[in-house]
Amino acid sequence: MLAALALMFATLPAALPLDAASLAPLPRATATLTAHGETRACEGVWLTDLAAASGLPAGQAVSGSALSILIRAEAADGYRVVFTLAELDRKLGNRPVLIADRCDGKPMAAGDGPLRLVVPGEARAARSVRQLVALRVEQLR
């Protein structure tokens, strides 16, 4: 059992793909973004769905060593935020995070997109990263 877990974590992806071909087969979802006094209806895919499709542990597998997996979101301007796999998991933290490519029925404007994270339910939109360029996977050791 421990050998299988060690092998699984040795093969974690270094990053999650953000290209159209990787996002297109995932189920579409919606979330509300409130930032700087403005509320927008956004569309995209859940980060948990992309993580699972990319080979990260999901469901019952989010236990033990998987609880130390981080996803670092990076913006074009160097802004970075972190989410733990445990907080994203629907059975643990249940923190929904949307990778949005459209808001209010239109593609993202250049200042926000082409991709943006939407983290509904947070008091401030500080982790709703605009101009998302990378999702890096790390495991604390």
Side-chain angles (χ1 to χ4, degrees):
M1 175 74 167
L2 288 177
L5 282 174
L7 177 62
M8 180 177 79
F9 294 124
T11 60
L12 286 175
L16 302 181
L18 289 174
D19 58 284
S22 298
L23 299 176
L26 299 174
R28 298 289 291 177
T30 60
T32 301
L33 169 67
T34 301
H36 308 291
E38 181 182 349
T39 299
R40 303 168 69 190
C42 298
E43 306 167 41
V45 301
W46 294 120
L47 178 53
T48 51
D49 291 339
L50 177 62
S54 300
L56 290 183
Q60 291 299 111
V62 182
S63 63
S65 296
L67 296 174
S68 64
I69 296 173
L70 307 173
I71 299 174
R72 184 178 72 225
E74 300 177 358
D77 65 0
Y79 188 72
R80 295 177 293 180
V81 301
V82 173
F83 299 92
T84 66
L85 197 58
E87 81 177 296
L88 297 172
D89 185 78
R90 290 178 176 109
K91 300 272 180 168
L92 291 172
N94 198 27
R95 166 63 62 202
V97 176
L98 188 74
I99 303 168
D101 58 4
R102 300 178 68 80
C103 282
D104 299 327
K106 298 178 276 193
M108 291 280 177
D112 284 334
L115 297 174
R116 178 182 187 140
L117 291 186
V118 175
V119 188
E122 292 196 337
R124 291 181 29 229
R127 294 199 298 172
S128 291
V129 175
R130 61 187 185 87
Q131 295 181 323
L132 180 68
V133 295
L135 292 169
R136 310 257 184 238
V137 178
E138 299 176 23
Q139 184 170 21
L140 296 178
R141 303 249 182 238

